[in-house]
Amino acid sequence: MSGSFDIKGWCPGALRPMLAADGYVVRLRPKDGQLSSRQGLALADLARRYGTGVLTLTSRANIQLRGIEAIDHPALLLALEVEGLLDESVRVESQRNILLSPFWQANDATQPLCVALGNAQGDTGAPLLPSKFGFVLDPGDAPYLRAASGDVRVERAHTQSPTQEPLFWVYPEGATTGWLGHQSLVVKAAMDLAHWFVRHNGFENPRGRMRVLIERALPLPDAFQTPLDLMPPAPQAPLGAVQVDLGQGGFLVGLRFGQMSADLCSYLCGFGPLRMTPWRQIYLPQAKVQPTHPALLTDANDPYSRIDICTGAPACTQALGETLSLAHEVAKILPKGRFAHLSGCAKGCARASACDVTIVAQKGGFLWGRNAQAGNLFGPALSQEYLLEDLQSAFERPDHA
Ligand code: SF4
């Protein structure tokens, strides 16, 4: 099997950073899923001054700075507070795990629900949830985040109330029924589900996820018994100009391996606010022209837009191998339309779901498999050279096309 790894059970934040081999990792959750130009410029400056000079976008649409030294942490926090990028406590920071559709508009329900949900999570009676437990707010005209990891989902229904008001679904990940109702009660319904999760010992599984609890077939509360009749998921918006019937334009740009240099971040801030996505892409809603920085991915056919990698060695203490240089080699041979996931260990931080090609570092080499998750690979480890040869011949076989 692809090996063991520690489950830390918590995620880094700004107030509670996590120590890695290259210093502390500081993770930020922009409050409405976006950075203003000013905040983005400030973050770029902080990454240069205190970190490695690189900002990383995570699969939960958070931003990470690495390589922070303990002595610089207080000054970094002060600067983040000035920019409105700091939560009031570790508890609020770790609980405010809300993923927003990047394509929200000023007149839809996303922003008000995000604010109200954040407030509800800060209430004294709010349940204490595992730090990986996440709310997915996707209540626009079409759901974009169905494939993103989450525990409680909020989406707009395609039916309306008799008075023509929009209705919304609130449902637990993995369930076939949910709550259907008005916007004013959405946050209460979402928090009711969170309370239900805690009441039924959702913490029992190591990462504390809703899907595991739902698989135990416990009866949901009465209010969540309406059979789900969801809108079909919106197709993934392609890189480049965004024309998803939003009437607002803008551009979606990809980041190679989810990383951007501080200079690239500063460049993007020249196009207005930066909205984070869980796809290692940034949506620039106010961009009037296509950004042309050479480090950006703007073509969906670019193999780099189809490769996920985790930090790997040497920066991650759990890594059994390096991922970055191998990813450059895989990019040279990855067939068009195929996706690859390279992981420094079986934990699979960069991607929870299965992938066309999954490669996991192992003691003495790598394992790889098709349509596999990082934790589900077996067999003898291959050297990097043999791995690439094996991949190349597999990609050339007709059954892989
Ligand atoms: S998956 Fe990658 S980043 Fe996550 S613990 Fe393993 S080596 Fe580290």
Side-chain angles (χ1 to χ4, degrees), residues 310-312 316 318-319 343-345 347-349:
C310 74
T311 308
C316 176
Q318 299 205 56
S343 190
C345 79
K347 194 169 177 183
C349 293

Side-chain angles (χ1 to χ4, degrees), residues 173-174 210-218:
E173 177 72 7
M210 182 67 93
R211 178 177 282 280
V212 179
L213 196 56
I214 293 296
E215 281 167 1
R216 284 166 49 192
L218 299 171

Side-chain angles (χ1 to χ4, degrees), residues 34-312:
Q34 77 173 1
L35 294 172
S36 66
S37 296
R38 179 194 153 129
Q39 289 173 323
L41 287 169
L43 263 191
D45 185 47
L46 293 171
R48 280 187 204 101
R49 202 164 358 140
Y50 299 123
T52 56
V54 173
L55 299 102
T56 306
L57 190 56
T58 74
S59 58
R60 291 288 303 171
N62 299 321
I63 301 177
Q64 234 169 235
L65 274 62
R66 301 191 68 97
I68 308 295
E69 292 191 25
I71 195 169
D72 292 326
H73 187 231
L76 175 65
L77 290 186
L78 202 58
L80 292 174
E81 187 165 26
V82 167
E83 296 302 330
L85 290 168
L86 206 58
D87 286 299
E88 65 211 53
S89 66
V90 171
R91 178 183 163 124
V92 172
E93 174 182 87
S94 65
Q95 296 290 290
R96 194 175 54 75
N97 194 356
I98 304 171
L99 178 64
L100 284 75
S101 168
F103 302 121
W104 58 263
Q105 297 189 74
N107 60 355
D108 73 23
T110 313
Q111 283 286 15
L113 287 177
C114 182
V115 172
L117 184 56
N119 290 341
Q121 288 184 295
D123 286 348
T124 38
L128 188 61
L129 297 162
S131 75
K132 307 228 178 254
F133 189 100
F135 295 83
V136 179
L137 280 185
D138 202 6
D141 287 340
Y144 282 92
L145 300 177
R146 200 66 69 65
S149 169
D151 296 272
V152 174
R153 295 183 181 274
V154 177
E155 292 176 15
R156 188 167 164 165
H158 52 68
T159 50
Q160 293 183 323
S161 71
T163 54
Q164 307 298 303
E165 285 177 84
L167 294 174
F168 297 86
W169 287 106
V170 178
Y171 64 99
E173 177 72 7
T176 55
T177 64
W179 174 95
L180 181 65
H182 293 276
Q183 182 175 335
S184 59
L185 294 172
V186 163
V187 168
K188 180 183 178 307
M191 294 307 287
D192 284 350
L193 266 187
H195 279 288
W196 178 83
F197 174 86
V198 171
R199 261 199 324 276
H200 288 85
N201 301 319
F203 275 96
E204 275 179 0
N205 64 83
R207 297 204 203 196
R209 301 308 301 261
M210 182 67 93
R211 178 177 282 280
V212 179
L213 196 56
I214 293 296
E215 281 167 1
R216 284 166 49 192
L218 299 171
L220 285 165
D222 289 349
F224 291 84
Q225 296 295 346
T226 307
L228 291 177
D229 177 19
L230 304 172
M231 282 198 266
Q236 172 83 49
L239 290 172
V242 170
Q243 305 283 346
V244 278
D245 300 329
L246 300 174
Q248 62 183 39
F251 284 86
L252 192 63
V253 292
L255 303 178
R256 198 178 269 206
F257 308 134
Q259 298 175 348
M260 61 179 158
S261 66
D263 290 349
L264 176 55
C265 182
S266 300
Y267 168 82
L268 290 176
C269 290
F271 294 86
L274 277 55
R275 288 199 193 161
M276 307 304 132
T277 80
W279 317 303
R280 303 184 199 278
Q281 298 169 353
I282 290 182
Y283 175 47
L284 305 164
Q286 292 178 14
K288 302 280 186 263
V289 294
Q290 168 117 23
T292 55
H293 194 290
L296 286 174
L297 306 175
T298 52
D299 175 1
N301 288 324
D302 190 321
Y304 283 99
S305 70
R306 292 179 276 111
I307 300 178
D308 288 328
I309 68 169
C310 74
T311 308

